[in-house]
Amino acid sequence: MIITLDPEAPKSAVDAVIAQAERYQGVTTKLYEFVGSGATVREVHLIGSTRAVPTEPFEALAGVRAVNRVSVKYRLIGRHGKDTQTHAFEHNGVTFGGDQVQIIAGLCAVDTREHVDQMLAALAKEGIRTTRMGAYKPRTSPYDFQGLGKQCLPWVFESCGKHGIKVVAMEVTDARQIEEIDRALQEAGNPTGVMLQIGTRNTQAFELLRSVGQQQQFPVLFKRGMGITLEESLNACEYVASEGNGRIIFCLRGVKTHLGDPHRNLVDFAHVPVVRRQTRLPVCIDPSHSVGRLDAAPDGLTDVFHVVGQGIIAGATAVLVDFHPRPQAALCDGPQALTLDQLPTLVRYADVVQRAYREVRALGETAG
Ligand code: PEP
Ligand code: MN
């Protein structure tokens, strides 16, 4: 059972809820605070044998906004009752999960300083402050390029500072890399912020999930598993929240099956509204790793663009997308990388669909 407090309720209201809960045998409580971009939401979670605990005594307490029985296992990231809020959060001045769709565009894998700098200069020109830069790459084959690792961090961060980039999404494959990133950021004078990415190959690497969950410094971009159910991915994501880090974006990136051919994966953006309904997390889409190629429809727009539209029109608020100044020279995933001259079009395209989403959202509100 989860008891949600009014944002302005005093501490005494929280204490009263806890005192009430502890009257029931076998019930313990845990207080959670979700720091959003607006108000902080406080919840008292009742843990243990709550089946026989009535809701009415809690509903009668001052400062209580809602009392919900929890039916899903992923209780922290899960959406309960009639709550329609998203757990938006701010990181280094950028809001995720708010009204503005964030385009997290950049190199799948960092290769040269020049490419990083060209990429970030192109983003700055478009007013984009979020990027992706892969330093630690989990590759299917051990003989493929594994990423430059910590050696590239100083100049990636320095270039972010130079171009006003506020948040870099960066995959980690091992907990030690979190410290490497932290140290490199400090040594560079914290010119930017980092969001730790959990890749699809590590969706169920539970110890890694615990590690990213145990720190609060960096938010987490969590990718669904490519070969497991959505439910399993959501339960895995709960590991991060259960360790204390609630600043999470859930990212859809396609699932593995030949039924998605000719795309690299079966695009699963029909799950955007599902994730929004099942959880309170902001939803990101990754059109690059799901489509995996750059062919265009007869209208001249690539499939990558079209699926970006499908994600945003369903309420996704972040787009993680591969670009490269010279895709033919990329050391990882060149065939799916958009070129820098396609960036302004993508920005305009995303803008048009965002406006369309606001209109269709209004239709939803009037439909009740
Ligand atoms: C990536 O975003 O670079 C990546 C490896 O994606 P995924 O984990 O979805 O394959
Ligand atoms: Mn990639």
Side-chain angles (χ1 to χ4, degrees), residues 133-353:
M133 288 286 158
Y136 309 96
K137 297 304 299 178
R139 303 303 300 279
T140 304
S141 163
Y143 307 116
D144 287 340
F145 175 60
Q146 304 286 309
L148 294 177
K150 69 174 174 186
Q151 73 169 90
C152 71
L153 300 180
W155 39 273
V156 167
F157 295 154
E158 186 189 306
S159 190
C160 284
K162 174 176 153 196
H163 294 290
I165 302 296
K166 297 289 178 196
V167 179
V168 192
M170 189 170 268
E171 179 163 357
V172 286
T173 57
D174 186 288
R176 281 170 299 194
Q177 295 155 0
I178 307 172
E179 283 161 41
E180 288 181 2
I181 290 171
D182 182 30
R183 206 169 313 127
L185 268 178
Q186 283 185 42
E187 281 168 9
N190 293 306
T192 188
V194 167
M195 176 179 285
L196 302 177
Q197 186 174 319
I198 295 294
T200 195
R201 290 160 190 79
N202 282 316
T203 301
Q204 289 183 308
F206 298 118
E207 293 313 314
L208 177 63
L209 303 184
R210 284 191 208 280
S211 299
V212 298
Q214 279 158 6
Q215 57 81 45
Q216 309 266 340
Q217 184 184 355
F218 306 115
V220 176
L221 180 71
F222 185 94
K223 291 221 177 168
R224 75 159 299 164
M226 62 180 153
I228 57 175
T229 64
L230 182 61
E231 195 73 4
E232 286 163 336
S233 294
L234 295 175
N235 276 298
C237 186
E238 179 82 359
Y239 271 83
V240 177
S242 72
E243 293 291 339
N245 189 353
R247 296 195 300 161
I248 306 168
I249 301 178
F250 190 88
C251 183
L252 294 167
R253 50 80 69 205
V255 292
K256 199 110 218 124
T257 157
H258 289 306
L259 298 179
D261 293 356
H263 291 159
R264 182 176 176 183
N265 287 286
L266 182 72
V267 183
D268 57 348
F269 300 166
H271 279 167
V272 170
V274 179
V275 178
R276 293 180 65 214
R277 179 169 63 250
Q278 298 287 91
T279 80
R280 304 182 271 189
L281 303 179
V283 180
C284 179
I285 46 158
D286 177 344
S288 304
H289 289 83
S290 46
V291 169
R293 52 195 290 158
L294 291 175
D295 311 83
D299 55 21
L301 296 165
T302 65
D303 297 4
V304 166
F305 276 57
H306 279 289
V307 302
V308 165
Q310 291 163 13
I312 295 176
I313 200 75
T317 49
V319 179
L320 185 75
V321 53
D322 286 4
F323 275 81
H324 200 286
R326 291 195 303 136
Q328 67 288 2
L331 298 177
C332 180
D333 287 348
Q336 69 191 31
L338 295 165
T339 49
L340 301 189
D341 58 336
Q342 291 174 294
L343 182 64
T345 322
L346 180 71
V347 172
R348 269 203 298 280
Y349 183 98
D351 214 49
V352 169
V353 186

Side-chain angles (χ1 to χ4, degrees), residues 120-142:
L120 299 184
L123 294 178
K125 205 166 156 211
E126 290 303 316
I128 298 176
R129 297 178 303 154
T130 45
T131 190
R132 56 159 296 147
M133 288 286 158
Y136 309 96
K137 297 304 299 178
R139 303 303 300 279
T140 304
S141 163

Side-chain angles (χ1 to χ4, degrees), residues 60-129:
L61 291 175
V64 168
R65 191 175 75 191
V67 180
N68 286 301
R69 287 197 185 279
V70 179
S71 52
V72 289
K73 274 209 155 162
Y74 38 92
R75 53 190 300 148
L76 290 172
I77 63 166
R79 185 177 294 294
H80 311 294
K82 293 192 176 68
D83 180 18
T84 57
Q85 293 200 327
T86 299
H87 276 175
F89 61 86
E90 196 199 287
H91 187 50
N92 202 31
V94 180
T95 300
F96 295 92
D99 258 353
Q100 179 65 36
V101 171
Q102 302 297 351
I103 309 243
I104 308 171
L107 306 182
C108 177
V110 173
D111 44 24
T112 69
R113 269 178 189 245
E114 289 69 32
H115 290 154
V116 170
D117 211 62
Q118 287 166 3
M119 181 72 237
L120 299 184
L123 294 178
K125 205 166 156 211
E126 290 303 316
I128 298 176
R129 297 178 303 154

